Amino acid sequence: MKLKVKDMDIATGGVLIAILNIEDAKRFDLYPEDRITIRKGKKMTTAVVNVAESRKAVSPGKIGLFEEVIGKIKAKQGDNVDIDIQEKPKSIALIKKKLDGHSLTAKETDTIVKHIVQGRLTDIELAYYIASGYMKPLELGEIVALTKSMVKYGGHLKFNKKFIIDKHCSGGVPGNRTTMILVPILAAAGLTMPKTSSRSITSPAGTADTMEVLAPVSQSLDKIKKIVKKTNGCIVWGGAVDLAAADDKMIRVRHSMSIDPEGMLLSSILAKKAAVGSTHVLIDIPLGKDTKIKTKKEAVHLKRMFIKIGKRLGMKVKVIITDGTEPIGNGSGPVLEARDALYIFRRDEKRPLDLEKKSVMMAAEIMKMVGIKDAKKKARQILDSGIAYVKMKEIIKAQGGNPDIDPDKLRLGKYSYTYKSPKSGTIYDIDNITIAKMARIAGAPRDKEAGVYLYKHERQKVKRGEKIFTIYSDSKVKLNYALNILKRRGGITIG
Amino acid sequence: MKLKVKDMDIATGGVLIAILNIEDAKRFDLYPEDRITIRKGKKMTTAVVNVAESRKAVSPGKIGLFEEVIGKIKAKQGDNVDIDIQEKPKSIALIKKKLDGHSLTAKETDTIVKHIVQGRLTDIELAYYIASGYMKPLELGEIVALTKSMVKYGGHLKFNKKFIIDKHCSGGVPGNRTTMILVPILAAAGLTMPKTSSRSITSPAGTADTMEVLAPVSQSLDKIKKIVKKTNGCIVWGGAVDLAAADDKMIRVRHSMSIDPEGMLLSSILAKKAAVGSTHVLIDIPLGKDTKIKTKKEAVHLKRMFIKIGKRLGMKVKVIITDGTEPIGNGSGPVLEARDALYIFRRDEKRPLDLEKKSVMMAAEIMKMVGIKDAKKKARQILDSGIAYVKMKEIIKAQGGNPDIDPDKLRLGKYSYTYKSPKSGTIYDIDNITIAKMARIAGAPRDKEAGVYLYKHERQKVKRGEKIFTIYSDSKVKLNYALNILKRRGGITIG
């Protein structure tokens, strides 16, 4: 059957959509979510049918195509196309199998991942897949298969090195930017660390947002390869290289319900490590009341899973469970966190010692994994001697940034408010969520110069009137909103 | 924040969608599937955010509104609207609770149903809800609550009668149009039967498609009330009156995965009975290899559930498990099935005796339920005497059809092919799916005059060359396709 193209001028970001008028849909016995093939000359694609109930959107005889479909068959407004009914993709029956509580073979999982990446599954079908993995956790073999297929159908990198190292943090601790310190130390120690990081979703800054203060982080796979060849390391944004393309599509569907099925979460993390050829991976699981992983039991279970799956993927994984009860480092927000990192490299007296200590410990753990002796001493020396700073400058330069940036000249939000202690005493609690919310409402991570800077940490003594933190924002209104959070939630407990 | 309206000219059929350019989305910290409120003057609505990655679809500073949103706030192209971030609807947390394996209170279920009807949940979220009910069946109390809420948030009817009767068939048997015969018999017996039926989704005809050959079936609630007051009965299309509006929205999301979670299926059926105030309901579960319900065990389980839920809703439900191994009646396809019904009313010798027998049996079962004595004899008399036919004519006329239609003058597809027995013997099997597929490919139910007419049934003797069935179609191409099905599948077993 022939129809005339209407260019809908809408992009879904993945799924291939074609809209038919309800009269044509009835005539062809098509229903929303049915699949059709659309052919223009020798070009062909499949698409998912939506139905327009009014003639306004798409009139009979026409077919409304979204940008992804237009692109695939190079169609223009008014072109004639042929459409045909298509059988549903096999992956739908496989998702049904998961809903029925069965496990899938590696080949079956591979079919699902392939179809996700090809845009052949709708968001509804993806939601069913994710729900199945949430209500009945994937088996170990399924997680391994999912991870391998995610790597297969995404971008990947290969370095001819014996050791490729990586790290991951499960999150929930403001300011915990160890990657910024770890990569230069380890690269200076001669290890290869092609580190891809994420941007923030719910925190004041992701590592990618922070590094972006110092250098561009959206790099192509080719460029990453060059940077790492030159410097042994990089700190780039993973989202720019589609390391696990299927995962990006699944995250969108998980977002609205805020569910992270365990197996899919593990796959998502490890696929990105496998995609850059990692041989040794350190995973940091901070534990605290507001961290992503909340109980020791959960942390120990995850630790076991990470190690097992890593083994099946040929990666050595070490997991450390760390203290996540209060923010780490002084700054929360991209510029403040980047400044903390530079203070550490420059051995500035304003450097946050907690972040430095944790980073050196983690660097040493990784060095031990690959058999380096006296690891802690060596890591400390690389940092103390300024070698790490030289390496950081090399990486900043290789990524296209300015290596000579002065941390004290980084611009901060033009409005600020400094909270001072209402009494003398000891700080018992600094609430992660309050700090993160204040920083976000002040504008972070979108406004890089917004955030919260802490002068004090838990268990320290303060005098009445002494500074505890400063909020920075480019907007007076946002600054006031941020302060409201403190009033409403509390967040600093002094006793 | 203020944005300028772009009228997207697209209707989703329910969900309220607003598209922001990715730059605005980033600026406002909004993600796809987030909720916003949109305000124009005093009019306000909520909507779900989609994000346009290109400037072509929606440029920065604009907001693309789908028809449902345009309608709610009476916006025009170029209008200024105010948008605000909105908390997610409470129903999302409740769906999450279901995914976590918990059951919901009646009030919680009510919130979900309300939000479904209001278009506040996206298809993704609905899919999660359905998946949860599929993987962990709803409890009895939840099904009752779901049914009550579906009735509450949909159209409903009230008749001041002691008995309101209804019936339902679980389906999968071509030609099984008992409703066409039952309603006139029971209405003639003085019972009130405001029957709403569905159109076909996968069969050659639904009751609504068949009745439509004789009279209009899309009637408003007011009109249905008038028809039933006048004649005691009606045979109308349920889809025209939104008897369970939430169910219609859920069916769309169930369609792509072909899953019918038990509790949701039970609710869907019984809500439509409760919405017209039914007091007595007969449920027919045909059993055969191709019927919807496939095993005795499943049928018995469903029977128990129907009765229990009915009781909780104040409805008396009787369930019969019947033979569904072969088509019932001779015709499959709207005109052929309507003709069968008229033959029965007119006591024509061409009438299908199996359909007549089953209909009389079912009419008697319903009459017994409300305490009528000698039910079978009475039902038979009403039919034999022509009283049922008079009643059918009254109903056809009340619905706006022509009561004097001659069954032999109903137009059939202009192309036909008659299949004759290749040998003499006994018919052992007539395959439901082959008959249904042939009829559908020939054009039914869209082309009312298409279908398959059977001259023989199982266990009858045939001579070589004797007619077994005729396929009717308005298209030679479709007729040939239909014949291919027989060649490919077989379907008539003679031994």
Side-chain angles (χ1 to χ4, degrees):
Chain A
M1 28 209 164
K2 284 197 187 302
L3 292 169
K4 215 176 256 307
V5 170
K6 177 177 177 185
D7 183 345
M8 298 305 289
D9 238 1
I10 304 177
T12 58
V15 185
L16 302 155
I17 304 271
I19 305 184
L20 297 184
N21 179 272
I22 192 160
E23 287 180 30
D24 289 330
K26 281 185 178 173
R27 203 148 49 90
F28 304 148
D29 203 19
L30 285 167
Y31 294 85
E33 308 293 316
D34 276 350
R35 262 74 176 180
I36 53 174
T37 57
I38 305 175
R39 205 180 304 265
K40 193 202 134 195
K42 283 183 185 160
K43 297 206 186 301
M44 195 193 74
T45 183
T46 64
V48 174
V49 171
N50 281 9
V51 171
E53 311 225 342
S54 78
R55 308 172 67 93
K56 265 174 77 185
V58 176
S59 56
K62 292 204 173 148
I63 182 167
L65 301 184
F66 278 38
E67 294 309 289
E68 286 83 359
V69 181
I70 292 272
K72 286 232 172 182
I73 58 167
K74 310 273 178 247
K76 291 184 310 293
Q77 181 91 5
D79 278 354
N80 283 309
V81 290
D82 266 310
I83 76 164
D84 249 315
I85 297 164
Q86 218 214 5
E87 292 292 310
K88 289 196 169 186
K90 210 186 142 206
S91 45
I92 290 185
L94 297 172
I95 293 171
K96 180 92 187 302
K97 198 169 160 188
K98 286 300 306 162
L99 287 167
D100 284 327
H102 305 295
S103 50
L104 299 183
T105 65
K107 205 178 154 209
E108 290 171 331
T109 298
D110 192 72
T111 301
I112 293 178
V113 175
K114 185 169 68 187
H115 288 178
I116 293 173
V117 173
Q118 291 175 339
R120 292 180 64 190
L121 289 172
T122 64
D123 286 350
I124 291 177
E125 289 144 5
L126 264 182
Y128 279 112
Y129 179 50
I130 291 161
S132 76
Y134 184 77
M135 292 190 74
K136 183 165 186 294
L138 300 187
E139 289 169 8
L140 196 69
E142 291 183 296
I143 302 173
V144 172
L146 180 59
T147 311
K148 284 183 178 170
S149 296
M150 277 189 184
V151 174
K152 181 173 161 191
Y153 299 108
H156 31 248
L157 281 173
K158 208 172 144 43
F159 298 95
N160 274 327
K161 295 284 182 179
K162 191 173 169 199
F163 303 128
I164 313 282
I165 57 175
D166 212 330
K167 57 87 55 172
H168 176 79
C169 174
S170 61
V173 180
N176 186 26
R177 284 286 85 69
T178 55
T179 293
M180 300 285 289
I181 316 297
L182 277 174
V183 172
I185 293 179
L186 293 165
L191 297 173
T192 304
M193 191 164 186
K195 183 78 187 87
T196 63
S197 297
S198 52
R199 291 191 185 278
S200 153
I201 294 178
T202 54
S203 66
T207 295
D209 302 308
T210 299
M211 183 65 183
E212 205 172 31
V213 172
L214 309 177
V217 292
S218 291
Q219 308 279 356
S220 66
L221 283 174
D222 271 357
K223 193 68 205 295
I224 290 174
K225 197 148 189 179
K226 276 181 199 148
I227 295 165
V228 175
K229 271 198 173 165
K230 191 185 261 175
T231 71
N232 282 351
C234 68
I235 303 172
V236 299
W237 179 42
V241 281
D242 258 359
L243 284 185
D247 190 56
D248 292 344
K249 301 200 177 201
M250 285 164 72
I251 281 172
R252 186 164 42 115
V253 173
R254 276 151 49 185
H255 181 73
S256 77
M257 200 60 67
S258 307
I259 62 173
D260 286 317
E262 181 190 274
M264 292 165 182
L265 185 72
L266 289 165
S267 279
S268 157
I269 294 164
L270 291 177
K272 287 163 193 161
K273 310 305 175 200
V276 295
S278 303
T279 59
H280 293 74
V281 178
L282 181 70
I283 311 243
D284 172 22
I285 303 183
L287 262 191
K289 72 176 171 16
D290 307 317
T291 50
K292 189 124 180 217
I293 307 302
K294 287 187 174 54
T295 66
K296 185 80 190 267
K297 197 180 153 200
E298 216 184 325
V300 169
H301 168 72
L302 266 186
K303 173 177 177 163
R304 216 171 287 145
M305 293 297 283
F306 269 122
I307 292 169
K308 273 192 199 167
I309 299 162
K311 204 167 182 180
R312 295 273 296 267
L313 294 166
M315 277 190 285
K316 200 153 172 52
V317 178
K318 185 186 258 181
V319 179
I320 52 175
I321 298 172
T322 59
D323 178 11
T325 50
E326 65 166 332
I328 289 180
N330 300 333
S332 291
V335 167
L336 290 167
E337 295 181 28
R339 200 176 68 169
D340 272 355
L342 290 179
Y343 283 157
I344 290 174
F345 289 123
R346 291 161 73 106
R347 322 306 300 140
D348 191 297
E349 60 178 11
K350 297 189 287 294
R351 71 189 190 272
L353 294 174
D354 56 345
L355 177 58
E356 174 174 315
K357 194 178 158 197
K358 183 169 178 181
S359 303
V360 169
M361 177 273 287
M362 288 176 68
E365 287 296 337
I366 293 174
M367 287 158 81
K368 278 191 263 176
M369 283 178 85
V370 298
I372 294 178
K373 296 227 160 60
D374 285 332
K376 194 147 186 188
K377 203 174 134 198
K378 280 179 187 155
R380 167 63 59 195
Q381 274 172 353
I382 292 171
L383 190 61
D384 285 346
S385 62
I387 293 174
Y389 190 27
V390 171
K391 179 56 76 178
M392 183 61 168
K393 287 183 174 184
E394 270 178 37
I395 294 171
I396 291 172
K397 193 172 167 211
Q399 288 188 204
N402 169 15
D404 300 316
I405 215 155
D406 177 349
D408 288 312
K409 288 195 174 141
L410 285 168
R411 198 177 81 73
L412 285 170
K414 60 183 166 202
Y415 301 100
S416 67
Y417 172 87
T418 298
Y419 176 80
K420 290 174 184 156
S421 185
K423 59 176 171 182
S424 297
T426 303
I427 298 178
Y428 281 115
D429 186 51
I430 299 175
D431 180 51
N432 286 348
I433 291 189
T434 301
I435 301 300
K437 271 193 188 268
M438 286 195 301
R440 276 189 75 92
I441 291 174
R446 190 68 43 204
D447 302 335
K448 291 211 177 320
E449 49 281 359
V452 174
Y453 191 80
L454 281 168
Y455 303 99
K456 295 286 175 187
H457 281 268
E458 287 182 10
R459 288 175 300 279
Q460 290 186 346
K461 292 203 182 306
V462 280
K463 294 206 182 92
R464 191 177 160 205
E466 214 178 341
K467 288 183 192 174
I468 295 188
F469 66 80
T470 299
I471 309 181
Y472 296 93
S473 179
D474 268 342
S475 145
K476 222 168 183 166
V477 178
K478 287 183 183 175
L479 187 69
N480 282 328
Y481 273 125
L483 282 169
N484 278 339
I485 290 291
L486 185 73
K487 280 183 201 142
R488 229 170 52 203
R489 289 184 54 97
I492 308 284
T493 314
I494 299 164
Chain B
M1 28 209 162
K2 283 197 188 303
L3 292 169
K4 216 176 255 308
V5 171
K6 176 176 178 184
D7 184 343
M8 298 305 290
D9 237 1
I10 304 177
T12 58
V15 185
L16 303 155
I17 304 271
I19 305 183
L20 297 184
N21 179 272
I22 193 161
E23 287 180 31
D24 288 332
K26 280 186 179 172
R27 202 149 51 92
F28 302 148
D29 203 18
L30 285 167
Y31 295 85
E33 309 293 314
D34 276 350
R35 263 73 177 182
I36 53 174
T37 58
I38 305 175
R39 206 181 303 266
K40 193 202 133 194
K42 283 183 186 160
K43 296 207 187 300
M44 195 194 74
T45 183
T46 64
V48 174
V49 171
N50 279 11
V51 171
E53 310 225 342
S54 77
R55 309 172 67 93
K56 266 174 75 184
V58 176
S59 56
K62 291 201 174 153
I63 182 167
L65 301 184
F66 279 37
E67 294 309 288
E68 286 83 359
V69 180
I70 291 273
K72 285 233 171 178
I73 58 167
K74 310 274 177 248
K76 290 184 312 291
Q77 181 92 6
D79 277 355
N80 283 309
V81 290
D82 266 309
I83 76 165
D84 249 314
I85 297 163
Q86 217 213 5
E87 292 293 309
K88 291 197 168 186
K90 209 186 142 205
S91 44
I92 289 185
L94 297 172
I95 292 172
K96 179 92 188 301
K97 198 170 160 186
K98 287 299 307 162
L99 287 168
D100 284 327
H102 305 295
S103 50
L104 299 184
T105 65
K107 206 179 153 208
E108 289 172 331
T109 298
D110 192 72
T111 301
I112 292 178
V113 175
K114 184 169 69 187
H115 289 178
I116 292 173
V117 173
Q118 291 175 339
R120 291 180 65 191
L121 289 172
T122 64
D123 287 350
I124 291 176
E125 289 144 5
L126 265 182
Y128 279 112
Y129 179 49
I130 291 161
S132 76
Y134 184 77
M135 293 190 73
K136 182 163 187 296
L138 300 186
E139 288 169 10
L140 196 70
E142 291 182 296
I143 302 173
V144 171
L146 179 59
T147 312
K148 285 183 177 169
S149 296
M150 277 190 185
V151 174
K152 181 173 160 191
Y153 298 109
H156 33 248
L157 281 173
K158 209 173 143 42
F159 298 95
N160 274 327
K161 296 283 180 180
K162 192 174 170 196
F163 303 128
I164 312 282
I165 58 174
D166 212 329
K167 58 88 52 174
H168 176 80
C169 174
S170 61
V173 180
N176 187 26
R177 284 287 84 70
T178 56
T179 293
M180 301 285 290
I181 317 297
L182 278 173
V183 172
I185 294 178
L186 293 164
L191 297 172
T192 304
M193 191 166 185
K195 181 80 188 85
T196 63
S197 296
S198 52
R199 292 191 185 278
S200 153
I201 293 178
T202 55
S203 67
T207 295
D209 303 308
T210 300
M211 182 66 181
E212 204 172 33
V213 172
L214 309 176
V217 292
S218 291
Q219 309 279 358
S220 67
L221 283 175
D222 270 358
K223 193 71 200 298
I224 291 173
K225 198 148 189 178
K226 277 180 198 147
I227 296 165
V228 174
K229 272 198 171 166
K230 191 186 262 174
T231 71
N232 282 351
C234 68
I235 303 172
V236 299
W237 176 43
V241 282
D242 257 358
L243 283 185
D247 190 55
D248 293 343
K249 302 203 177 199
M250 284 164 72
I251 280 172
R252 187 164 40 113
V253 173
R254 274 152 51 185
H255 182 72
S256 77
M257 199 60 65
S258 306
I259 61 172
D260 286 319
E262 182 190 274
M264 291 163 181
L265 185 73
L266 290 165
S267 277
S268 156
I269 294 163
L270 292 177
K272 287 162 192 162
K273 310 305 176 202
V276 295
S278 302
T279 59
H280 293 74
V281 178
L282 180 69
I283 311 245
D284 172 22
I285 304 184
L287 261 190
K289 71 174 171 14
D290 306 317
T291 50
K292 189 122 180 218
I293 307 302
K294 287 186 175 56
T295 66
K296 185 78 191 270
K297 196 180 154 200
E298 215 183 327
V300 168
H301 168 73
L302 266 186
K303 174 177 177 164
R304 215 171 288 145
M305 293 296 283
F306 269 122
I307 293 169
K308 273 192 198 166
I309 299 162
K311 203 167 182 181
R312 295 273 296 266
L313 294 165
M315 277 191 285
K316 200 156 171 54
V317 178
K318 185 186 256 180
V319 179
I320 52 174
I321 297 171
T322 60
D323 178 11
T325 51
E326 64 167 332
I328 289 181
N330 300 332
S332 291
V335 167
L336 290 167
E337 295 182 27
R339 199 176 68 168
D340 273 355
L342 290 178
Y343 283 156
I344 290 174
F345 289 122
R346 292 160 72 107
R347 321 309 296 144
D348 191 297
E349 60 178 12
K350 298 189 288 296
R351 71 189 190 273
L353 294 174
D354 55 345
L355 178 59
E356 175 173 316
K357 193 177 158 200
K358 184 169 177 181
S359 303
V360 169
M361 178 273 286
M362 288 175 69
E365 287 294 340
I366 293 173
M367 287 159 81
K368 278 191 263 175
M369 283 178 84
V370 298
I372 294 177
K373 296 231 159 59
D374 285 331
K376 193 148 189 187
K377 204 173 134 199
K378 280 177 186 157
R380 168 63 60 196
Q381 275 172 353
I382 291 171
L383 190 61
D384 285 346
S385 62
I387 294 175
Y389 190 27
V390 171
K391 180 55 77 179
M392 183 61 170
K393 287 182 174 184
E394 270 178 36
I395 293 171
I396 290 172
K397 194 171 165 211
Q399 288 188 204
N402 170 15
D404 301 316
I405 217 156
D406 177 348
D408 288 312
K409 290 198 173 135
L410 285 169
R411 198 177 80 73
L412 284 169
K414 59 184 167 203
Y415 301 100
S416 68
Y417 172 87
T418 297
Y419 176 80
K420 290 173 184 157
S421 184
K423 59 177 172 182
S424 297
T426 303
I427 299 179
Y428 281 115
D429 186 52
I430 299 175
D431 180 51
N432 286 348
I433 290 188
T434 301
I435 302 300
K437 271 194 187 266
M438 287 195 300
R440 277 189 75 92
I441 290 174
R446 190 66 45 202
D447 301 337
K448 291 211 177 321
E449 48 280 0
V452 174
Y453 190 79
L454 281 168
Y455 303 98
K456 296 286 176 189
H457 281 268
E458 286 180 11
R459 288 175 299 280
Q460 288 185 349
K461 291 205 182 306
V462 280
K463 293 207 184 91
R464 189 174 162 206
E466 213 178 343
K467 289 182 192 174
I468 294 187
F469 65 81
T470 300
I471 310 181
Y472 296 93
S473 179
D474 268 342
S475 145
K476 223 169 182 163
V477 177
K478 286 183 184 175
L479 187 69
N480 284 327
Y481 272 126
L483 282 168
N484 278 339
I485 290 291
L486 185 72
K487 281 181 202 143
R488 228 171 52 203
R489 289 184 54 95
I492 308 285
T493 313
I494 298 165

